[in-house]
Amino acid sequence: MAKTSNTGMIARRGLAALLVLIGAAVLWGGAQLIALSGSPYYLVGGLAVVAAGVLVWRGDARGALLYAVFLLATLGWALWEAGADGWALAPRIIAPAVLGLLFALPAIRRGLGGRAPLAAAGIAALSLVVVAGIALKPVDYVTGNRTAGSIAIAPDGVAGTPDGVAGEWPNYGRSLGGDRFSPLAQITPANVSHLQQAWIYHTGVAQTGEKSPLQTTPIMIGDTVYLCTQTNIVIALDAETGKERWRFDPKVDATGASRVTTCRGVAYYSAPTAADCPQRIISATFDARLIALDALTGRPCPSFGKAGIVDLRAGMGLVEPGFYYVSSAPVIVRGRIVLGGWVADNQKTDVPSGVVRAFDVITGRFAWAWDSGRPGQTGEPGAGESYSRGSPNSWAPMSGDEALGLVYLPTGNASPDHYGALRTPLSEKYGSSVVALDAETGAVRWSFQTTHHDLWDYDVPAQPTLLDVTAGGQQVPALIQATKRGELFMLDRRTGAPLARVEERKVPQRGAVEPLAPTQPFSTGLPSVSGAPLTEADMWGLTPLDQLWCRISFRKLRYDGPMTPPGKDRSLIYPSIGGGVNWGSVTIDPTRNIMLVNSMNYGTIIQLVPRAETDRRLNSSKDKNYSHDFAVPQPQAGTPWGVLLSGLESPLQTPCNKPPYGKLHAIDLTTRTLLWSRPFGSTRDTGPFNIASGLPLEMGMPNFGGSMTTASGLVFIGASQDKSFRAFDVNSGRQLWQSRLPSGGQATPMTYRSPRSGRQFVVIAAGGHALLRSQLGDSVVAYALPAGK
């Protein structure tokens, strides 16, 4: 009997000690939060838990009653603050409730006596049931009343939409305007669940460290698929089997390679009158070479440049290794290869030019240059001169309109990103914009700025997407420009005039170290995918303790809503410098007049660091190459400030803002309203400290990459942090199919019809992404319906 009593006392006091320890931690954090004008709940709750622990230690049953009252109050507070949001309720309720269930242990009940322990355990169980009932409801998504339109599908499974050869994917975004829509309809909402892996190809390019992964979107012409690796190897595959036909390795010099190195695609051109290479694959490399290859053999075209190669360093002046390269597929308009380039972020003011250049697709001869710092000068610089240093660049995919003879380029900032007082008026005019150039001369036709005096790294990352819309009762050639801000701008692609309302709104000014733009453009004529401004109640965690940590961190940040400027103290950029919308851009289903947008909701913490302190910390850091280490400032040499950047994360390396972090949206372009919006991406391949949880909980995860649609009404997308490839119904947003990939699918998929079998294939690169902590790989995976289906 004494032994039993002793066991009960040990169990009771163990629980009591646990309550006191946890309560004291919450009390300590709650006091800090109160000092920061935060929620009083944690201070009061911590006091209650400590008091309950003391009473339990003494064997007083009132400790259990007090904990029961605390649980009831917590449940009420959680429902009041978070509403019926299962993910938001979970960290507020689950851990306290699990602790409450311990009161049901026989040893604890004996140690306290009476019914009080069972009351505490019962309320804990009730709390868990409430949370489970809310959390286990179907995936939350907003839906409208849209019904499927009538679409003409031919017997061979192709919609009646004339857009090149129906079965091919001839450009990075399929169309030159980047709509990412295929008229193929063999795979439908009714049969997509039967989709199976048809073939898999391994590039053989090793993934190590933090190098950027395989992000290519292949193109397909005739019976061949063409793609590039992050080391600029160009590969041709048999479209039916995935078997390699040829491989060209330019053997790039990766000396000084930046944290971001990738090749997102190649371009194709048919040149039947050329002296050689009547079909050409055009690619550009990390070490600044433009290359034309024979599409049939993979050999360089002798008539192009010098033995198939054009040196892109011409006229650039000093190009330090890793400071300039072409990351996106070139665009070819009216016989001109047009390309820009990625320029190193936040290193210094004296970096290579962001010049955009055009070359003849047959000969490789220089055609023109658009250099924002040399207005009216479209030729190459003279001897001893160079294109303007540090000017706004264009690293994202471009689009073209053959009929209008225009090429549309999204631009970044003058270097560096987070200090702009030294920028020239022309850099200010063209930074973070979409610019339309004459494809034959390089002359600027128009430009539209999406962020004024950009200090947030809100460079325009997405391909401008071309479509036709109805405005004023007429069909108008339009352009959609997606942004990291989550704003979607619809413009007349002939003039740049907005076709959907744009308002200039006053934005925060507090804390800036330089003059700011007093207003910023907001697209009010289309739904925004930026997410609502964050509040303390939006802070999240796996437990109340890390949620409290995030609340305190948030309260310590300077945050006045969207466009809060960087300054000497720590402030918040939301959406993050990764978006909003990134290089995945948007997808247009022209048969249903629906636009698909995948977005990311995440925060970046930024702090400007004085020059002397920046230099001291960089000199003492082991990282001497481009500041890969986010624990030290990025230099921004040539300015008074370095910059520290980090994610808004808890100590468990999970985001501090509540889920979902990744969403897929459908916008009705007829009514210009949100049709549906849903989270996508599960927790299966991630967790605290980046340890995979194995739990396929559809939380909605961070994502890089884009979507594509088919005439049958399907949306295909990888992109998410988990290793999954999904298909959704265009009209409703309902998930219809999912497949596991060998690695993360941080790329944009494509589809084609093989002329050999007539089957429709869907293809995605599965290369993962270090910045998303998504497993790296070297796979290109193709799916098709089983033969005969």
Side-chain angles (χ1 to χ4, degrees):
M1 184 71 178
K3 186 176 181 180
T4 302
S5 177
N6 190 50
T7 302
M9 183 182 71
I10 292 172
R12 172 171 54 80
R13 288 192 170 180
L15 175 59
L18 190 60
L19 291 171
V20 170
L21 285 173
I22 293 174
V26 173
L27 176 59
W28 178 76
Q32 292 189 65
L33 194 57
I34 284 286
L36 295 166
S37 303
S39 170
Y41 162 79
Y42 292 90
L43 179 65
V44 176
L47 280 169
V49 174
V50 168
V54 170
L55 290 170
V56 170
W57 181 275
R58 294 175 177 174
D60 191 332
R62 289 179 297 176
L65 288 176
L66 179 56
Y67 196 83
V69 171
F70 159 74
L71 278 179
L72 276 176
T74 296
L75 181 60
W77 164 78
L79 290 169
W80 168 77
E81 191 177 59
D85 183 334
W87 283 114
L89 288 173
R92 292 167 166 88
I93 297 296
I94 291 178
V98 169
L99 200 56
L101 290 178
L102 296 180
F103 282 96
L105 295 175
I108 302 296
R109 295 205 315 270
R110 286 194 302 270
L112 291 176
R115 299 180 180 178
L118 289 178
I123 292 172
L126 173 64
S127 300
L128 289 174
V129 168
V130 169
V131 173
I134 294 172
L136 295 178
K137 67 180 181 179
V139 172
D140 179 33
Y141 62 93
V142 178
T143 183
N145 297 315
R146 181 70 175 267
T147 56
S150 176
I151 299 171
I153 304 293
D156 61 354
V158 178
T161 55
D163 186 12
V165 179
E168 297 182 346
W169 191 280
N171 299 285
Y172 170 79
R174 190 178 186 275
S175 68
L176 195 58
D179 59 16
R180 280 163 279 280
F181 170 81
S182 171
L184 296 180
Q186 186 182 99
I187 303 170
T188 70
N191 65 24
V192 69
S193 61
H194 300 294
L195 212 57
Q196 297 177 354
Q197 182 178 304
W199 54 258
I200 185 169
Y201 174 80
H202 295 282
T203 67
V205 176
Q207 303 284 336
T208 59
E210 293 186 339
K211 298 300 179 192
S212 285
L214 183 68
Q215 294 181 339
T216 186
T217 296
I219 59 174
M220 185 272 187
I221 298 94
D223 64 353
T224 307
V225 172
Y226 303 93
L227 58 97
C228 58
T229 73
Q230 64 274 40
T231 55
N232 300 122
I233 297 172
V234 181
I235 298 168
L237 305 177
D238 183 293
E240 180 72 26
T241 65
K243 183 179 179 180
E244 184 178 303
R245 286 184 166 167
W246 56 256
R247 166 184 289 234
F248 173 79
D249 187 351
K251 301 188 183 304
V252 297
D253 180 2
T255 303
S258 70
R259 185 170 186 165
V260 181
T261 58
T262 193
C263 178
R264 296 196 177 97
V266 296
Y268 169 83
Y269 190 77
S270 176
T273 61
D276 52 40
C277 304
Q279 298 178 67
R280 300 183 171 202
I281 299 298
I282 308 297
S283 183
T285 67
F286 178 78
D287 53 4
R289 287 177 286 163
L290 178 64
I291 303 175
L293 303 173
D294 188 316
L296 298 179
T297 67
R299 300 189 186 98
C301 301
S303 64
F304 185 87
K306 293 183 179 179
I309 298 173
V310 171
D311 186 356
L312 294 176
R313 292 172 298 179
M316 295 292 284
L318 175 65
V319 180
E320 297 176 73
F323 270 65
Y324 168 84
Y325 80 103
V326 181
S327 57
S328 297
V331 65
I332 303 173
V333 184
R334 294 198 174 179
R336 301 283 191 265
I337 304 168
V338 184
L339 48 83
W342 178 92
V343 178
D345 288 341
N346 294 324
Q347 299 309 302
K348 51 187 177 180
T349 54
D350 185 26
V351 294
S353 176
V355 62
V356 172
R357 288 171 285 180
F359 300 87
D360 185 277
V361 72
I362 303 296
T363 65
R365 292 193 189 98
F366 172 87
W368 53 258
W370 176 68
D371 177 0
S372 61
R374 301 165 65 239
Q377 300 181 54
T378 56
E380 293 182 285
E385 299 178 338
S386 69
Y387 297 112
S388 55
R389 307 281 291 175
S391 55
N393 64 327
S394 183
W395 61 265
M398 301 175 186
S399 300
D401 186 322
E402 280 283 353
L404 293 177
L406 296 179
V407 58
Y408 304 94
L409 45 131
T411 68
N413 298 320
S415 186
D417 287 321
H418 302 293
Y419 184 77
L422 303 179
R423 295 173 186 165
T424 67
L426 286 170
S427 291
E428 287 285 80
K429 177 179 180 180
Y430 291 114
S432 296
S433 301
V434 54
V435 181
L437 302 180
D438 187 299
E440 296 185 79
T441 67
V444 176
R445 292 282 188 88
W446 57 261
S447 66
F448 176 89
Q449 191 162 65
T450 67
T451 302
H452 308 318
H453 192 64
D454 182 5
L455 302 177
W456 301 267
D457 194 11
Y458 279 157
D459 53 331
V460 183
Q463 182 180 25
T465 301
L466 311 187
L467 70 162
D468 293 331
V469 301
T470 301
Q474 296 182 329
Q475 283 288 101
V476 176
L479 173 153
I480 298 282
Q481 184 59 68
T483 67
K484 289 182 180 179
R485 294 175 55 202
E487 299 295 316
L488 305 169
F489 297 95
M490 179 187 287
L491 310 174
D492 186 320
R493 68 175 183 264
R494 299 167 299 185
T495 65
L499 294 173
R501 291 188 311 277
V502 176
E503 294 180 3
E504 288 286 336
R505 295 179 180 172
K506 291 182 179 180
V507 290
Q509 307 285 303
R510 182 173 68 100
V513 300
E514 61 180 284
L516 304 176
T519 64
Q520 292 289 351
F522 287 80
S523 180
T524 58
L526 284 174
S528 172
V529 296
S530 62
L534 294 179
T535 67
E536 182 198 319
D538 292 320
M539 295 302 102
W540 193 78
L542 295 176
T543 71
L545 292 176
D546 55 309
Q547 184 178 48
L548 174 56
W549 189 96
C550 285
R551 284 178 179 254
I552 294 170
S553 296
F554 176 78
R555 282 290 183 177
K556 287 181 177 178
L557 295 173
R558 176 171 47 83
Y559 177 62
D560 298 323
M563 315 304 290
T564 295
K568 293 182 286 185
D569 55 347
R570 285 159 54 91
S571 62
L572 180 62
I573 298 175
Y574 184 81
S576 75
I577 61 175
V581 182
N582 209 287
W583 51 267
S585 193
V586 304
T587 295
I588 304 295
D589 180 340
T591 62
R592 296 170 179 82
N593 215 24
I594 293 174
M595 174 169 62
L596 287 306
V597 189
N598 57 293
S599 66
M600 184 161 62
N601 299 94
Y602 192 72
T604 299
I605 298 172
I606 183 170
Q607 182 179 16
L608 298 179
V609 182
R611 176 85 277 131
E613 175 67 9
T614 293
D615 293 343
R616 184 191 68 78
R617 293 171 68 175
L618 284 172
N619 288 335
S620 63
S621 171
K622 295 180 181 179
D623 178 14
K624 305 299 182 185
N625 242 359
Y626 315 121
S627 293
H628 296 180
D629 183 359
F630 285 141
V632 297
Q634 296 182 44
Q636 297 200 133
T639 79
W641 306 92
V643 62
L644 273 172
L645 297 165
S646 60
L648 180 64
E649 290 186 341
S650 79
L652 301 181
Q653 297 180 2
T654 58
C656 270
N657 56 296
K658 68 180 181 181
Y661 311 116
K663 283 187 173 183
L664 182 62
H665 316 263
I667 294 172
D668 187 325
L669 291 172
T670 302
T671 62
R672 299 182 186 177
T673 58
L674 187 66
L675 177 60
W676 52 261
S677 178
R678 58 163 297 147
F680 80 103
S682 80
T683 60
R684 182 171 179 176
D685 299 306
T686 190
F689 306 111
N690 198 35
I691 299 172
S693 70
L695 301 173
L697 303 174
E698 289 290 327
M699 180 183 283
M701 303 305 291
N703 57 90
F704 283 140
S707 66
M708 68 95 174
T709 61
T710 66
S712 63
L714 291 171
V715 185
F716 288 92
I717 188 167
S720 177
Q721 193 174 30
D722 59 347
K723 297 185 289 187
S724 293
F725 190 31
R726 296 172 169 88
F728 299 93
D729 185 290
V730 168
N731 289 293
S732 68
R734 187 164 59 93
Q735 183 172 310
L736 303 175
W737 172 81
Q738 180 175 339
S739 177
R740 290 286 285 170
L741 294 169
S743 301
Q746 277 71 57
T748 300
M750 51 83 75
T751 188
Y752 61 85
R753 182 175 58 185
S754 169
R756 190 181 312 172
S757 64
R759 289 199 298 167
Q760 181 183 351
F761 290 77
V762 179
V763 177
I764 188 169
H769 201 294
L771 294 182
L772 282 188
R773 300 167 186 160
S774 171
Q775 180 181 325
L776 301 178
D778 71 340
S779 305
V780 180
V781 188
Y783 296 87
L785 295 173
K789 280 283 185 180

